[in-house]
Amino acid sequence: MKQPLRRILLILMTLMLSIIPQTVIAQTESLPPDLAMADDSLQEKLREVSRTLRCAVCQSETIWESNATLAIQMRDIVMERLIAGESPDEIRAYFVSRYGDYIVFKPRFRGLNLLLWGGPFILLSIGGFMLFRNLRKWTRPSPKADIGADDEDLRPIDEKQRKRIEEELRSLR
Amino acid sequence: MKSISAWHIFLLLGLFGLFFIFYQGLWGDPSALPPVIIKEPAPDFSAPELYEKENIVLSEHLGKVVVLNFWASWCQECKLEHKFLLALNKHYEDNTDFVMYGVNYQDEDRLAKAYLKQYGNNFEHVVDLKGKISIDYGVYGVPETFVIDKKGVIRHKHIGPIMGDVYSDIIKTKIDPLLAEGATSS
C-alpha cells in the first residue's frame, strides 16, 4: 500500500512543480511590458487608475479591459505618470483636462451628473410616497363606504327626476 | 372631479423635464463630444519629422498661426481632405506668420511616406508613434484639425475632414482673423 501512495504523491508534486512556473509566466506575459517590470504598488495603482478611465474609441470599456491601440497608449501614459510620482487623482484630472468628463468611466458627482446619481433615488422616493399615500387611503375605514351614500344622495328629487323614475317604473310593468 | 394640487403640477413638470432630457438625448450624436481643450494653451511637443528625423518643436512657432492636422495612412476620410490640406498650405505659402504640420497618428513611417507619395505633400509631418501628442490634444480619431493662435492658444478644433464649406469657413472665419491679430493681443 505504501508504494502506490508514494507514486501518487510523486506524480502530484511533479505536476505542481510543472504547473506553477507556467502559471507565473502566463500571468507575467498577460501584463503590459511596463506593468510587468513595475513593482506591486505601481501595478496596483495602474490597475486602479486604468479601471476608472474610459477607452475613448471603445464603447463601455475601460482602458484596462481594452486592447485598442489608444487604450494601450493611454495605459502607458498612466504608468509613466505614476512612475513620475503623480497621484491617481492627478492622472485622472490630466485625462479629464484633455477629453472632458466623458473619459472618466464613473460620472463625477457634480453638475448635471447629479441627476444621473440622484435621479433614481428621487423617482423611487416619489413613487414610494405616492404608494404610501394610496395604501393609507385604501386601508383607512371610510365613513362614506360604511353608509354607502354621499352628500349628493341627500338632495331632494326634482320634478324631472321624478318623471323619469315614474316612466322607467311604468316601462317595467 | 378632484382638484389639481400644486403637488400634481410639480410632479407633472418634473416628469415633463425628464422626458424632455431623454427626448433630446434620442436625437443627439452619441459620438459628438464637447471639445474641452479650446481656449487652452496648446500642449507643446518635440517630435521627429517624418522624413528628416529632426525634432519639430511646437513652441518655436510662437508668434505664428499653427494648423495641426492629425492623420493616418489607414484613414479613409483623410484621403478625402488631403487635397484641401495641400490647397490650404498653398493658400498661405507666402505668409510667414502661418505654419502647418501634419501629425501622423498610429501609423508606420513606411505607409505614411507611401501615402504622401501617392496623394502629394507640401508641408511637414510629425511622427506620433506612441500617441503622446494625440492624447495631449484629446484626439479621439483621425482626421482632427487644430488651429493655434500666435500666442500658442488653441482657438479651433475640427473633427472630421476639412473639405467643401468647412475648407472655406476655416480660412475665412478661423485662420484669416487669427493672422490679422497681433501676437500680443488675445
Side-chain angles (χ1 to χ4, degrees):
Chain A
M1 280 299 281
K2 274 186 179 179
Q3 198 63 18
L5 192 68
R6 261 187 205 164
R7 270 188 195 164
I8 289 168
L9 273 173
L10 200 68
I11 290 166
L12 277 176
M13 278 177 74
T14 317
L15 273 173
M16 278 174 75
L17 284 171
S18 62
I19 288 167
I20 289 168
Q22 279 176 11
T23 317
V24 171
I25 290 163
Q27 279 177 351
T28 316
E29 278 176 351
S30 68
L31 298 168
D34 285 347
L35 177 57
M37 285 186 289
D39 63 41
D40 287 349
S41 68
L42 274 179
Q43 285 183 25
E44 190 47 50
K45 276 184 184 172
L46 175 67
R47 197 174 289 125
E48 185 223 314
V49 177
S50 300
R51 279 177 176 165
T52 60
L53 293 172
R54 186 188 299 275
C55 164
V57 292
C58 328
Q59 295 285 330
S60 304
E61 256 188 321
T62 65
I63 62 167
W64 180 256
E65 295 155 348
S66 172
N67 279 322
T69 311
L70 184 61
I72 294 166
Q73 290 172 340
M74 285 170 75
R75 250 180 357 227
D76 288 345
I77 286 178
V78 172
M79 187 47 128
E80 277 178 23
R81 286 178 175 260
L82 284 172
I83 290 168
E86 285 189 28
S87 70
D89 281 342
E90 284 171 330
I91 296 168
R92 273 187 284 269
Y94 162 75
F95 281 102
V96 169
S97 75
R98 295 317 191 234
Y99 289 95
D101 275 346
Y102 169 81
I103 207 71
V104 186
F105 207 69
K106 206 189 273 183
R108 291 196 292 177
F109 201 71
R110 64 171 205 187
L112 262 182
N113 290 348
L114 286 173
L115 200 66
L116 282 175
W117 285 100
F121 297 105
I122 294 168
L123 289 175
L124 196 68
S125 307
I126 293 170
F129 176 69
M130 288 173 78
L131 186 68
F132 172 74
R133 255 177 54 151
N134 282 320
L135 281 176
R136 206 172 59 165
K137 207 183 284 175
W138 293 340
T139 52
R140 194 193 295 159
S142 157
K144 189 172 136 184
D146 288 347
I147 299 164
D150 67 25
D151 291 349
E152 281 186 19
D153 299 324
L154 301 174
R155 281 187 305 182
I157 296 170
D158 60 19
E159 192 56 25
K160 199 177 163 188
Q161 282 175 315
R162 192 181 60 82
K163 276 185 179 174
R164 199 177 142 199
I165 292 167
E166 280 176 356
E167 270 171 27
E168 281 181 12
L169 284 170
R170 227 176 282 133
S171 68
L172 288 171
R173 282 174 199 155
Chain B
M1 189 183 159
K2 280 182 184 177
S3 62
I4 296 170
S5 66
W7 165 248
H8 286 116
I9 294 168
F10 174 75
L11 194 68
L12 270 172
L13 281 175
L15 287 173
F16 182 76
L18 275 177
F19 177 76
F20 181 74
I21 290 169
F22 294 142
Y23 182 79
Q24 289 276 71
L26 280 178
W27 307 112
D29 178 1
S31 62
L33 298 157
V36 288
I37 205 165
I38 307 294
K39 293 183 182 170
E40 294 291 325
D44 194 16
F45 61 78
S46 173
E49 206 277 328
L50 182 64
Y51 292 94
E52 305 297 328
K53 295 295 173 198
E54 279 175 14
N55 275 17
I56 288 172
V57 183
L58 181 71
S59 53
E60 285 176 359
H61 297 290
L62 272 176
K64 290 181 180 183
V65 172
V66 182
V67 170
L68 284 183
N69 173 260
F70 290 78
W71 67 278
S73 65
W74 45 262
C75 155
Q76 299 304 312
E77 284 185 313
C78 300
K79 290 170 190 164
L80 292 175
E81 74 167 356
H82 196 77
K83 64 177 180 183
F84 290 93
L85 296 178
L86 298 177
L88 184 70
N89 196 46
K90 187 153 178 60
H91 182 81
Y92 292 108
E93 67 182 348
D94 296 327
N95 195 324
T96 52
D97 284 346
F98 177 87
V99 66
M100 181 159 155
Y101 286 120
V103 183
N104 190 227
Y105 171 85
Q106 295 180 5
D107 212 342
E108 284 180 37
D109 283 9
R110 176 181 63 85
L111 297 171
K113 285 174 183 170
Y115 173 98
L116 293 173
K117 194 178 176 186
Q118 187 177 345
Y119 295 98
N121 186 27
N122 63 4
F123 55 98
E124 290 185 301
H125 300 269
V126 173
V127 180
D128 183 30
L129 267 179
K130 289 191 172 178
K132 277 187 183 175
I133 305 174
S134 315
I135 291 170
D136 243 359
Y137 278 79
V139 170
Y140 286 96
V142 279
E144 280 192 25
T145 304
F146 294 79
V147 182
I148 301 162
D149 71 11
K150 292 177 181 177
K151 289 174 76 181
V153 174
I154 295 172
R155 297 288 290 271
H156 179 65
K157 174 183 179 177
H158 180 78
I159 299 172
I162 290 183
M163 51 194 288
D165 289 344
V166 177
Y167 169 76
S168 39
D169 183 65
I170 205 166
I171 289 177
K172 281 180 199 158
T173 67
K174 306 292 185 299
I175 301 172
D176 281 350
L178 291 182
L179 284 168
E181 280 180 5
T184 50
S185 66
S186 59

